[in-house]
Amino acid sequence: MTLFKSSVIALALTCATPAFADSLAITNATVHTVTEQGVLTQATVVIEDGKIIAINPETVMADNIIDAMGKNLTPGLIGSFNHLGLVEVSAVSSTRDAGDKDADITFDASAAFNPFSSLIPYSRKGGITTNLVVPYGGDKMFKGQAFIANLTGELDSIVERNAAVIVELGAKRKGSRALEIQQLRNKLEDVQKALAKAAEKSDNKDDEKTAKEPKRDEKIINALLAGETPLIAYAERATDIMALLALKKDFALDLVIYGAGDAIRVVNQLAEAKVPVIIGAIENLPNFDALQVSLESAAQLVNAGVTVIFSVRGDTHNLYQLRYDAGIAVANGMNKTQALAAITANAADAFDLNAGRIAIGKRADLVLWSGDPFELSTQVEKMWIEGIEYSTDSRQDALRKRYTAEADLPRAYVK
Amino acid sequence: MQKMAPSLLMVALSMGISACNSSESQDEKVVINKNPYPSTYHPLASQPTLIRHATVLTGTGKRLDNADVLMEQGKIVQVGTNLSASQAQVVEAEGKWLTPGIIDVHSHLGVYPSPSAESHADVNEATQPNSSEVWAEHSIWPQDPGFHQARAGGITTLQILPGSANLFGGRGVTLRNVPSPTMQGMKFPEAPYGLKMACGENPKRVYGGKKIAPSTRMGNMAGYRMAWAEAVEYKRAWDKYETDYAAGKNPEVPTRDIELDTLKGVLDGEILIHNHCYKAEEMAMMIDLGKEFGYHSGTFHHAIEAYKIADKLAENGNCAAMWPDWWGFKMEAYDMVQENVAIVDAQKNSCAVVHSDSATTIQRLNQEVGKVMYRANEHGFDIKPQHAITWITANAAKSLGIADKTGSLEPGKNADLVLWNDNPFSVYAQAEQVFVDGAKVYDRFDEKYQAQSDFMLGQR
């Protein structure tokens, strides 16, 4: 009877969420867990209800079974710090929603996220299943808030809003970088004082009426000060990084540094402070904030104990290259495990995502590759986001098919 | 002797004519110096070198396994198997790959250098839509650290172009990627100049934004046509001067115009067109523009939509210089396909080129080619490495008018080559040694051959 009951529940659930209907087992895979378990060969991963429920179970029970034939299975890759879904064509202003001159710390661009953007299926070609989207903000120091979206291309693809606060420091076209560092510190101090005052007042019942509701921006800074929301700060120069490390210490911030071209000068401090850095793996041209940046920087950082996350810098349209950048980092001294972590687990940890590893209970974002995931010759064979398979077919494929097809009529008739 | 006869006759005739018009003796003939900033490049010191047992991609479409290449006095002497040369230093290259030096037909190194700084942004003379009078070589900062990074990526030759703000951006110049304190010390001897033209969004945006022409694509076309019409007149005036002078007359010297000198150079077939032009319909019109005014429309750069008119480009003898995957940054870059290069290449008599336009990408043009090859092969093409390499070697040399000198490993060609630690179309591949004119200019494992920019020297 009990058994019967549970299957009725299961059926009911199935009807409510048909997407999660079937369980899936991927067998005979080379599984890159990005956990202490390392790489498992001839392994089986079982998925149910969008989660990984078993690895190498004694008996494989699933509605669908896929034989991976020894190929590589990795966690879905995680893109970081780009404008996916917020910009369709960079030079067409009406397709840009990542910034606004009035944007401030409260700016949440997730309301503008377009899951039907042509960049999304194209990015899936690179094995990207999840992405940290950031606004580029406006004139203010705080650019707004980041959000997490998966790459299903469905209306419900935003996973988390208010995932981080973005602040931009460092080199400026006008004025001095010094002022912004001061302003950031002042802002944090002011809110901290206001918080303390409010706490004092709430102890005193007489003042209850006069206790003010914090403003929207103050609430966000409160979350930073409580360590609930990460602060992602853009900075390249070592001195700016040191200033940020001091802020982290003084205000107990959950700090992540983006850019960090000069990080190799302060590797030990970064490692000690346990501050992850989001870097472009292939950045190696000097600028005055990062004169010594090189292709070996990534390996040097990791080997010194810094957590590294890779981001494809510049235009979002080639987010798909993330895996190649990891490969180039390997050619320049990183090991493959470190490089894979830099595009999976490390990002998941920094942004508090239940993804980025192949482990029981993790979201079933998985990619099956035709070969070495970092190689140019490799392609995505299959990918799953929350256990559901998605294709990598994009508008670009339709164009190629049209212009390589045999056609009697003009190609506009080829669909 | 027979050959001499007519010219002697000519001299006699012209003397005769001038004798007839003795009242009008000829002034000294005005000759325009077409090479006032000549190359001072000299190859670095080299010694005869035999590279043995490599996998050789010749750049002529051949792959030779376990093969040897011998170079002497700056030239390729022999390519084959079991070569020997008693005087030559030997490089054992078992397991390694050897290709011609990589050529980038589209670079802004030196004119858009690193660090990116206002004071060094010398790529665009964006003050008038026709700036045919400017020469990119006059802007080049030879200390750009990017030259060194590109050399470590196997780049031995590169064309530096002015920017795309203008209908006519000015002249581009082809450089050898060797360190030198002067631009002229890098200048590729006898390489023709290029004229940068730009279609589409950039000129109309830059000038439309200033409320001057062009502000539309039709304004772009009008601007080109007016300039070429003027150039045709200018050429006619100079040709007439030449003819009349040769006929013993004392013609009036046409007024020198530096802007029109460049366009005339194109009409004379001495300067090659390098046309920033993304879209199929615009490339087609630019081909006809060339026909209207009597010049060849050359190479289309950033030719994102070349695949739509691959047949037309091949028929007309145009090269198309392309990226494997850049897209979406503007409307004219929206219709990207990753197989663009392969589709263009599939036509008979095609000239497909992979280019960078980037100080970062230029360091890995080999990988850019790899991306195209693998994606195309996934979709029914059958492109082999020995063919794919031509997109950044032989075809690139053809685009720049230097195919008789570089771009392939053939006896008599300049000894420009790259020794790779792996298949160059692997993400892990790195150039180990790079040679220009037989001289080692880069060695990944020997600091002696790792040049450094003055800018980086002593920086902390």
Side-chain angles (χ1 to χ4, degrees):
Chain A
M1 250 341 259
T2 327
L3 265 174
F4 183 63
K5 205 175 175 185
S6 74
S7 43
V8 167
I9 291 168
L11 270 173
L13 269 171
T14 302
C15 294
T17 54
F20 294 152
D22 298 341
S23 57
L24 169 69
I26 303 164
T27 63
N28 193 21
T30 301
V31 177
H32 298 256
T33 63
V34 204
T35 68
E36 283 172 0
Q37 290 195 289
V39 180
L40 310 171
T41 52
Q42 292 180 301
T44 297
V45 176
V46 186
I47 300 164
E48 203 174 282
D49 290 348
K51 294 238 163 61
I52 295 165
I53 59 157
I55 295 171
N56 282 341
E58 285 188 4
T59 51
V60 178
M61 297 267 286
D63 300 316
N64 297 303
I65 296 177
I66 289 174
D67 182 353
M69 296 189 289
K71 288 176 180 164
N72 291 303
L73 186 75
T74 69
L77 309 188
I78 301 174
S80 300
F81 218 92
N82 54 56
H83 314 305
L84 187 73
L86 296 181
V87 179
E88 182 66 18
V89 177
S90 318
V92 178
S93 50
S94 57
T95 73
R96 293 195 303 253
D97 292 304
D100 194 299
K101 77 176 173 53
D102 295 331
D104 61 13
I105 194 169
T106 64
F107 179 50
D108 171 14
S110 68
F113 180 76
N114 176 19
F116 309 120
S117 165
S118 67
L119 281 76
I120 290 173
Y122 185 73
S123 300
R124 290 201 296 256
K125 286 183 190 300
I128 316 284
T129 54
T130 310
N131 188 52
L132 176 85
V133 191
V134 297
Y136 49 66
D139 300 337
K140 312 229 167 40
M141 173 172 59
F142 287 107
K143 299 303 171 190
Q145 296 170 65
F147 61 96
I148 309 278
N150 65 32
L151 271 73
T152 62
E154 308 285 350
L155 283 169
D156 61 354
S157 45
I158 293 179
V159 177
E160 191 194 341
R161 292 185 170 80
N162 318 111
V165 171
I166 310 298
V167 68
E168 195 175 300
L169 300 174
K172 291 166 63 66
R173 288 228 172 120
K174 285 179 183 170
S176 164
R177 74 184 71 209
L179 190 62
E180 276 183 342
I181 293 170
Q182 284 170 40
Q183 283 173 340
L184 178 57
R185 177 170 283 277
N186 292 347
K187 189 90 187 167
L188 293 170
E189 268 175 12
D190 292 349
V191 174
Q192 202 173 44
K193 277 181 197 158
L195 269 180
K197 215 172 186 181
E200 225 173 78
K201 279 185 180 170
S202 68
D203 289 343
N204 185 343
K205 282 184 182 175
D206 296 343
D207 287 345
E208 216 166 61
K209 282 178 191 169
T210 57
K212 277 192 226 157
E213 169 82 355
K215 291 177 189 162
R216 287 189 183 88
D217 63 331
E218 287 170 347
K219 279 185 185 167
I220 294 163
I221 293 177
N222 288 351
L224 290 179
L225 292 171
E228 290 162 5
T229 306
L231 178 71
I232 305 180
Y234 169 74
E236 301 276 359
R237 199 196 264 182
T239 54
D240 291 333
I241 293 171
M242 290 303 291
L244 283 164
L245 295 187
L247 282 180
K248 177 192 164 68
K249 196 170 171 226
D250 294 347
F251 298 96
L253 300 171
D254 180 6
L255 177 68
V256 180
I257 297 176
Y258 172 76
D262 217 11
I264 48 164
R265 292 184 200 267
V266 287
V267 275
N268 296 331
Q269 291 91 330
L270 278 164
E272 198 185 326
K274 294 188 167 41
V275 171
V277 291
I278 307 173
I279 62 170
I282 60 170
E283 299 288 314
N284 70 338
L285 294 162
N287 64 68
F288 278 104
D289 272 9
L291 284 165
Q292 309 300 342
V293 64
S294 81
L295 295 179
E296 290 87 34
S297 296
Q300 289 167 357
L301 286 163
V302 168
N303 292 334
V306 179
T307 300
V308 167
I309 299 163
F310 288 148
S311 167
V312 176
R313 291 184 71 172
D315 197 85
T316 308
H317 292 75
N318 279 333
L319 169 60
Y320 98 102
Q321 296 186 10
L322 186 61
R323 66 194 182 98
Y324 301 149
D325 290 7
I328 291 164
V330 170
N332 290 283
M334 247 191 177
N335 72 41
K336 288 189 179 182
T337 308
Q338 294 165 340
L340 185 58
I343 52 178
T344 56
N346 295 352
D349 292 346
F351 315 131
D352 199 19
L353 286 169
N354 186 33
R357 289 187 178 85
I358 299 181
I360 291 170
K362 292 285 175 192
R363 216 165 65 202
D365 294 355
L366 298 167
V367 184
L368 187 65
W369 304 89
S370 65
D372 174 348
F374 301 152
E375 261 297 9
L376 305 171
S377 54
T378 298
Q379 59 176 321
V380 173
E381 292 213 332
K382 284 180 181 295
M383 70 189 303
W384 297 267
I385 301 174
E386 286 198 77
I388 301 167
E389 190 176 344
Y390 287 87
S391 96
T392 63
D393 243 21
S394 69
R395 186 175 170 273
Q396 284 81 358
D397 295 288
L399 280 165
R400 181 199 64 251
K401 282 177 196 157
R402 168 173 278 189
Y403 282 90
T404 52
E406 294 289 333
D408 298 330
L409 286 166
R411 295 198 182 273
Y413 295 97
V414 180
K415 283 161 209 145
Chain B
M1 265 318 281
Q2 273 201 322
K3 270 192 155 177
M4 289 286 282
S7 45
L8 282 173
L9 189 65
M10 283 289 287
V11 172
L13 264 172
S14 69
M15 280 176 73
I17 290 164
S18 56
C20 293
N21 305 326
S22 55
S23 60
E24 203 186 330
S25 64
Q26 281 190 310
D27 296 331
E28 196 182 340
K29 191 177 171 196
V30 173
V31 178
I32 292 174
N33 178 5
K34 290 179 176 171
N35 189 22
Y37 308 94
S39 170
T40 58
Y41 165 76
H42 291 292
L44 275 66
S46 66
Q47 60 184 110
T49 304
L50 177 65
I51 300 178
R52 299 207 305 179
H53 307 310
T55 301
V56 179
L57 306 179
T58 60
T60 62
K62 284 194 209 124
R63 168 182 169 149
L64 308 171
D65 290 320
N66 195 20
D68 310 337
V69 172
L70 176 65
M71 46 186 162
E72 272 177 30
Q73 295 183 330
K75 302 286 182 197
I76 307 277
V77 178
Q78 255 185 305
V79 180
T81 45
N82 297 318
L83 302 185
S84 61
S86 53
Q87 301 301 314
Q89 66 164 349
V90 173
V91 178
E92 291 295 348
E94 210 178 319
K96 303 183 198 298
W97 291 56
L98 193 64
T99 69
I102 308 303
I103 300 168
D104 190 358
V105 300
H106 195 117
S107 174
H108 300 300
L109 290 180
V111 292
Y112 251 160
S114 305
S116 167
E118 298 91 329
S119 23
H120 277 163
D122 286 325
V123 77
N124 263 315
E125 184 61 35
T127 50
Q128 55 178 13
N130 182 355
S131 65
S132 307
E133 72 279 12
V134 306
W135 299 18
E137 65 187 43
H138 296 148
S139 274
I140 289 169
W141 182 46
Q143 297 299 340
D144 181 354
F147 285 116
H148 304 276
Q149 306 286 32
R151 197 178 308 116
I155 300 291
T156 53
T157 298
L158 68 175
Q159 178 175 235
I160 311 302
L161 288 165
S164 53
N166 297 346
L167 300 175
F168 299 89
R171 288 196 200 193
V173 64
T174 297
L175 302 180
R176 312 245 69 194
N177 196 12
V178 294
S180 168
T182 69
M183 171 280 294
Q184 286 164 272
M186 303 171 76
K187 202 168 174 178
F188 198 123
E190 293 170 57
Y193 279 109
L195 170 61
K196 172 73 170 282
M197 295 179 69
C199 294
E201 296 182 24
N202 289 12
K204 82 183 192 100
R205 173 173 48 82
V206 169
Y207 293 98
K210 296 175 182 174
K211 297 281 178 215
I212 54 174
S215 73
T216 60
R217 283 185 157 85
M218 57 187 175
N220 287 351
M221 283 302 287
Y224 308 130
R225 296 183 74 224
M226 290 192 290
W228 285 117
E230 205 183 338
V232 166
E233 290 307 313
Y234 184 68
K235 174 174 158 55
R236 189 175 307 173
W238 275 101
D239 287 352
K240 187 168 189 309
Y241 171 77
E242 293 283 340
T243 318
D244 287 354
Y245 197 93
K249 296 180 190 168
N250 192 26
E252 199 175 321
V253 185
T255 307
R256 176 92 186 266
D257 186 310
I258 302 292
E259 184 178 289
L260 291 170
D261 278 351
T262 294
L263 298 185
K264 178 178 178 294
V266 175
L267 296 174
D268 288 337
E270 293 166 356
I271 296 178
L272 305 176
I273 295 288
H274 290 279
N275 197 160
H276 160 123
C277 206
Y278 287 68
K279 292 184 70 63
E281 69 275 17
E282 290 186 279
M283 285 185 264
M285 287 189 287
M286 296 306 278
I287 289 171
D288 282 350
L289 177 73
K291 289 177 179 164
E292 183 183 4
F293 293 98
Y295 67 91
H296 188 259
S297 42
T299 300
F300 292 110
H301 292 236
H302 317 334
I304 290 249
E305 292 191 5
Y307 68 97
K308 297 184 184 180
I309 51 160
D311 50 352
K312 195 173 187 66
L313 296 170
E315 276 161 28
N316 195 56
N318 292 105
C319 293
M322 296 160 280
W323 299 291
D325 54 12
W326 285 25
W327 73 288
F329 43 94
K330 47 186 168 172
M331 278 312 293
E332 59 193 11
Y334 198 52
D335 282 5
M336 179 275 282
V337 301
Q338 290 179 306
E339 301 79 7
N340 189 12
V341 180
I343 298 171
V344 168
D345 180 76
Q347 295 285 332
K348 202 181 165 203
N349 299 324
S350 63
C351 176
V353 177
V354 173
H355 71 341
S356 82
D357 188 25
S358 156
T360 299
T361 312
I362 194 173
Q363 302 174 37
R364 281 172 289 277
L365 268 189
N366 52 314
Q367 295 186 10
E368 296 293 281
V369 166
K371 288 182 200 169
V372 178
M373 178 175 72
Y374 296 121
R375 297 298 84 78
N377 289 348
E378 283 158 17
H379 295 290
F381 291 78
D382 182 22
I383 297 163
K384 301 281 194 295
Q386 55 267 37
H387 182 71
I389 193 73
T390 62
W391 302 336
I392 48 174
T393 57
N395 289 4
K398 183 181 166 191
S399 161
L400 298 181
I402 50 174
D404 56 331
K405 301 178 184 70
T406 185
S408 59
L409 302 180
E410 291 176 282
K413 290 271 182 87
N414 295 359
D416 300 342
L417 36 86
V418 187
L419 185 64
W420 306 89
N421 66 345
D422 198 345
N423 179 336
F425 308 120
S426 162
V427 78
Y428 306 119
Q430 282 173 322
E432 286 192 350
Q433 295 188 39
V434 181
F435 295 83
V436 173
D437 283 323
K440 183 150 74 172
V441 296
Y442 174 75
D443 188 323
R444 188 170 165 77
F445 303 109
D446 188 348
E447 266 191 85
K448 184 185 168 197
Y449 296 100
Q450 295 170 6
Q452 193 181 37
S453 155
D454 286 356
F455 172 77
M456 292 305 295
L457 196 65
Q459 294 277 17
R460 287 189 60 238

